[in-house]
Amino acid sequence: MSVTHIVLFAYKPETTKEEIKEVREKFLALQQQCKTADNGPLVQSFHAGSNNSTEGLSGKINDAFVMTFASKEDRDYYNEKDQAHKEFKDFVLPKLIPPEARIVDFTPGVFE
């Protein structure tokens, strides 16, 4: 079963517009860079954009990224072994407000 991976970024105030642009470009590039162990595409779909909610419940979230993986195994490979993802995390984490940035994964239609 597929896994939806939602990533919400809140940037530190000192993160520049140029750095945010670079974060977005590098994150979007992961769709092509991240490969399965047998060199197939790891990310099935990828959607992203800036927060434009008017509900007043998004806190300091600036950007949202939504990825779909074919399986939990592919998601786990991405999180634990994929070198491009590891390098991206090292690049982006210093630019984020840790308690505000969020990552949520779910399997569509599965409630536990």
Side-chain angles (χ1 to χ4, degrees), residues 1 24 41 49 57 62 74 102:
M1 296 182 78
R24 292 168 176 161
L57 297 173
N62 304 104
D74 281 357
R102 298 279 189 256

Side-chain angles (χ1 to χ4, degrees), residues 87-105:
E87 290 171 10
F88 175 73
K89 287 191 297 187
D90 290 343
F91 166 77
V92 74
L93 287 175
K95 296 166 180 48
L96 303 177
I97 304 170
E100 296 293 328
R102 298 279 189 256
I103 298 174
V104 177
D105 295 349

